[in-house]
């Protein structure tokens, strides 16, 4: 049985993984702790095989007063936890980084491949990249380091852009039809990927994503259809919106282009347990 410590109690991804691994009750033992104060420093890590580090500031901020806090939490805390894990004999450290280390989406087609150099465009992305650079040197035969750079993660209860899009899909009968492409990752596909990282005792940097790229208008249409509504897609707003991409943050997030080249996300074991339509159903289904 693998004993896993999740650093970041009540985090969306941490809770998702804990729920996912409940499907394998004889294979995994899980505990989650908060890092909001220094009490975690007194906790022994030696009993755990894996530390899954998700604690951090997840949203992007442009407030310069927040910059120091981002580096303190996303970079310094990550390195400190990894150092403690190594010293106390943990075998594997899994760090949730982000596609944001490559910068923002763009108005033109933007495909990240293995030769693309990280180039953060804000201190959120830079804090994640510097955390990666701080934990990589800790790796050796006895301490495996896994860095995961996921694209936008969504699923039932997620925050960020997806619930905003879903709200639009349920309320508005018309939506702009812009030909963009985004890599995305459903929480169940991510959690299965993390499980495989653990059982295969992996090390390295990984780029999981859904099988399909997402066109925003198509996703909105799928969400509307699930709720029994029809959405008419129109190109009438495209000239204005295309001028705004790259200049207006919310427009950039919704209609910009940012994808991983598909072969980057291939793995020897299948982790995509849901296709795009299935992820919409799983995300939008109402609790009974």
């Amino acid at each position: 049985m693998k004993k896993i410590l999740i650093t970041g109690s009540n985090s969306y991804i941490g809770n998702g993984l804990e729920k996912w691994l409940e499907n394998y009750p004889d294979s995994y033992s899980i505990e989650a702790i908060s890092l909001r104060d220094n009490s975690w420093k007194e906790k022994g890590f030696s009993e755990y095989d894996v530390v899954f580090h998700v604690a951090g500031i997840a949203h992007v901020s442009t407030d310069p007063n927040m910059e120091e806090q981002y580096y303190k939490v996303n970079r310094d805390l990550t390195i400190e936890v990894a150092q403690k894990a190594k010293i106390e004999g943990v075998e594997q450290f899994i760090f949730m980084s982000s596609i944001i280390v490559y910068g923002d989406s763009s108005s033109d087609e933007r495909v990240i491949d293995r030769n693309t150099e990280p180039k953060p465009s804000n201190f959120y992305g830079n804090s994640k990249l510097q955390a990666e650079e701080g934990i990589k040197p800790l790796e050796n035969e006895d301490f495996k380091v896994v860095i995961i750079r996921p694209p936008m993660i969504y699923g039932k209860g997620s925050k960020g852009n997806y619930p905003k899009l879903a709200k639009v899909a349920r309320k508005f009968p018309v939506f702009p039809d812009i030909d963009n492409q985004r890599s995305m990752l459903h929480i169940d596909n991510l959690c299965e990927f993390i499980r495989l990282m653990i059982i295969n005792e992996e090390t390295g940097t990984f780029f999981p994503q859904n099988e399909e790229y997402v066109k925003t208008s198509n996703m909105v249409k799928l969400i509307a259809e699930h709720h029994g509504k029809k959405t008419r897609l129109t190109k009438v707003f495209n000239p204005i919106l295309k001028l705004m991409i790259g200049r207006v943050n919310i427009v950039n997030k919704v209609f910009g282009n940012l994808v991983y080249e598909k072969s980057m996300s291939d793995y020897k074991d299948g982790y995509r347990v849901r296709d795009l339509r299935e992820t919409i159903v799983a995300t939008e289904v109402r609790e009974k």
Side-chain angles (χ1 to χ4, degrees):
M1 177 178 283
K2 290 280 189 180
K3 297 193 74 175
I4 303 164
L5 178 65
I6 299 173
T7 59
S9 57
N10 292 321
S11 68
Y12 179 68
I13 296 172
N15 288 346
L17 180 65
E18 191 166 0
K19 184 177 180 180
W20 187 257
L21 295 184
E22 287 175 358
N23 295 315
Y24 308 88
D26 299 325
S27 300
Y28 307 97
S29 171
I30 307 161
E31 183 180 352
I33 61 169
S34 172
L35 304 185
R36 291 186 180 276
D37 56 37
N38 288 326
S39 61
W40 67 271
K41 295 180 180 180
E42 307 302 319
K43 181 174 178 59
F45 282 13
S46 60
E47 64 181 289
Y48 301 100
D49 302 297
V50 180
V51 168
F52 179 50
H53 184 67
V54 290
I57 305 174
H59 62 278
V60 176
S61 173
T62 56
D63 181 357
N65 294 322
M66 287 291 294
E67 184 170 1
E68 183 180 352
Q69 187 69 8
Y70 271 72
Y71 287 107
K72 183 178 179 181
V73 174
N74 287 352
R75 179 192 63 194
D76 300 345
L77 185 61
T78 298
I79 296 169
E80 193 174 357
V81 172
Q83 288 171 336
K84 177 177 171 65
K86 181 178 181 178
I87 290 170
E88 298 188 18
V90 175
E91 296 173 358
Q92 187 183 45
F93 185 84
I94 302 177
F95 172 56
M96 289 300 298
S97 186
S98 171
I99 195 173
I100 201 71
V101 301
Y102 294 103
D104 292 328
S105 52
S106 68
S107 57
D108 300 319
E109 181 180 345
R110 184 164 182 222
V111 181
I112 297 166
D113 61 29
R114 291 190 180 276
N115 296 317
T116 304
E117 291 290 332
K119 191 176 180 180
S121 57
N122 51 54
F123 47 78
Y124 169 63
N126 199 36
S127 66
K128 285 289 191 180
L129 182 61
Q130 289 188 21
E132 292 183 15
E133 293 168 346
I135 64 176
K136 280 179 181 177
L138 300 174
E139 185 177 72
N140 59 28
E141 290 184 1
D142 300 317
F143 187 67
K144 298 176 172 64
V145 174
V146 171
I147 294 168
I148 301 177
R149 292 177 178 169
M152 187 181 105
I153 298 164
Y154 68 103
K156 191 162 187 63
S158 63
K159 298 179 181 178
N161 290 326
Y162 179 91
K164 295 175 184 175
L165 279 177
K167 188 175 181 179
V168 169
R170 292 192 297 268
K171 288 191 172 183
F172 295 95
V174 178
F175 192 81
D177 186 11
I178 288 182
D179 290 324
N180 70 319
Q181 286 187 324
R182 301 300 294 255
S183 288
M184 293 180 65
L185 183 61
H186 186 262
I187 185 66
D188 290 350
N189 292 341
L190 170 62
C191 289
E192 177 61 9
F193 186 81
I194 294 166
R195 189 183 75 84
L196 293 172
M197 294 292 100
I198 294 170
I199 64 172
N200 292 332
E201 299 181 349
E202 285 286 5
T203 185
T205 303
F206 297 87
F207 316 87
Q209 64 178 325
N210 289 348
E211 184 75 37
E212 312 99 315
Y213 293 151
V214 174
K215 178 180 174 181
T216 304
S217 58
N218 286 347
M219 172 168 271
V220 167
K221 195 169 184 178
L222 284 172
I223 295 170
E225 287 175 0
H226 176 80
H227 292 283
K229 300 180 182 297
K230 289 186 178 181
T231 298
R232 183 170 67 85
L233 303 180
T234 177
K235 296 183 182 292
V236 69
F237 306 111
N238 289 19
I240 297 173
L241 288 171
K242 286 181 178 179
L243 287 174
M244 295 170 70
I245 296 174
R247 296 179 176 88
V248 179
N249 191 38
I250 186 63
V251 176
N252 202 43
K253 287 182 177 181
V254 175
F255 296 109
N257 293 273
L258 187 63
V259 299
Y260 281 131
E261 192 272 320
K262 288 193 174 182
S263 68
M264 287 178 69
S265 304
D266 292 341
Y267 188 63
K268 61 185 178 182
D269 298 323
Y271 64 90
R272 291 146 172 158
V273 295
R274 298 185 191 274
D275 63 24
L276 180 60
R277 185 176 290 275
E278 289 169 340
T279 69
I280 298 300
V281 172
T283 304
E284 293 300 311
V285 67
R286 294 179 178 176
E287 299 289 352
K288 294 182 180 179

